């Protein structure tokens, strides 16, 4: 099964829709960096009784005057239609734009795609646009294929199923992905 990146949209939309109590819990509330702060997130998303995603985050910051929801200490597991794990993403932080539905994971990003042709991707910034069904990074990225092929690129772009991957620059063993020299 291919990764279900569109599930990211649902996950971040649900976090953006969270509503906190109307009164602040302490007098120090004014110094907090957001309108709402949610801690120790562990949320399971299901559809028709089937597990679709599980989001864990240390902290989420929700801004009423912005389209941005930010999280720290993010782990996101995505599942297929039968509830089988398709991919796991971990990052120091994540950001979801409620207007454009775009997401970005930042800092020590690791995406593990669980399928026979899968790969593990390491980068410092990973973007996802569900409208364009596109995943990309414009910073140095390492990709290790399940076959053992290992390469480093200056950036890449892929469809959200990782069927078509284009890389920018690169070196490594067995580069069998299309490589562009942009």
């Amino acid at each position: 099964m291919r990764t279900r990146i569109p599930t990211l949209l649902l996950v971040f939309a649900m976090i953006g829709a969270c509503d906190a109590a109307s009164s602040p819990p302490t007098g120090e509330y004014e110094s907090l960096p957001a309108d709402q702060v949610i801690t120790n997130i562990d949320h399971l998303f299901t559809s028709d009784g089937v597990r679709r995603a599980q989001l864990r985050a240390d902290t989420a910051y929700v801004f009423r005057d912005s389209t941005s929801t930010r999280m720290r200490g993010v782990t996101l597991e995505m599942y297929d239609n039968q509830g089988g794990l398709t991919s796991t993403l971990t990052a120091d932080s994540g950001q979801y734009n409620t207007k454009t539905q775009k997401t970005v994971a930042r800092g020590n990003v690791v995406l593990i795609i669980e399928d026979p042709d899968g790969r593990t991707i390491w980068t410092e910034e990973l973007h996802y646009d569900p409208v364009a069904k596109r995943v990309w990074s414009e910073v140095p990225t390492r990709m290790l294929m399940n076959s053992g092929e290992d390469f480093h690129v200056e950036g890449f772009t892929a469809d959200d199923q990782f069927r078509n991957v284009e890389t920018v620059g690169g070196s490594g063993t067995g580069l069998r992905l299309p490589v562009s020299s942009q």
Side-chain angles (χ1 to χ4, degrees):
M1 291 287 169
R2 297 286 177 184
T3 181
R4 301 289 182 211
I5 298 293
T7 303
L8 280 171
L9 168 64
L10 172 65
V11 170
F12 288 112
M14 295 293 290
I15 290 300
C18 290
D19 190 16
S22 59
S23 62
T26 69
E28 297 174 9
Y29 182 77
E30 288 74 27
S31 67
L32 293 176
D35 296 306
Q36 298 175 12
V37 178
I38 306 163
T39 59
N40 299 318
I41 298 165
D42 188 351
H43 192 82
L44 179 64
F45 297 88
T46 61
S47 176
D48 298 322
V50 177
R51 175 176 49 185
R52 300 299 303 182
Q54 183 152 11
L55 172 68
R56 294 180 189 92
D58 297 336
T59 311
Y61 301 95
V62 182
F63 303 88
R64 286 190 192 123
D65 63 348
S66 170
T67 59
S68 178
T69 298
R70 296 181 182 158
M71 289 178 276
R72 288 189 184 164
V74 177
T75 299
L76 177 63
E77 296 172 338
M78 292 163 278
Y79 301 88
D80 62 20
N81 292 333
Q82 292 74 42
L85 183 66
T86 59
S87 61
T88 302
L89 175 120
T90 58
D92 292 342
S93 66
Q95 185 173 350
Y96 171 68
N97 184 307
T98 58
K99 187 171 185 172
T100 65
Q101 302 176 348
K102 292 179 182 178
T103 60
V104 61
R106 290 187 177 99
N108 299 307
V109 179
V110 179
L111 175 62
I112 301 170
I113 300 170
E114 305 283 346
D115 69 17
D117 296 326
R119 68 198 80 210
T120 300
I121 297 171
W122 293 270
T123 189
E124 286 300 309
E125 190 168 281
L126 185 66
H127 298 262
Y128 171 61
D129 181 347
V131 175
K133 297 184 178 182
R134 179 176 168 237
V135 179
W136 74 95
S137 181
E138 297 174 343
V139 299
T141 301
R142 177 182 176 209
M143 295 184 185
L144 178 61
M145 306 297 289
N146 284 354
S147 64
E149 296 167 302
D150 186 9
F151 56 99
H152 300 258
V153 296
E154 294 174 22
F156 78 95
T157 186
D159 63 85
D160 63 356
Q161 301 297 306
F162 279 87
R163 290 187 189 121
N164 299 300
V165 179
E166 291 183 21
T167 61
V168 177
S171 64
T173 61
L175 287 176
R176 54 187 182 102
L177 296 175
V179 177
S180 64
S181 58
Q182 299 175 358

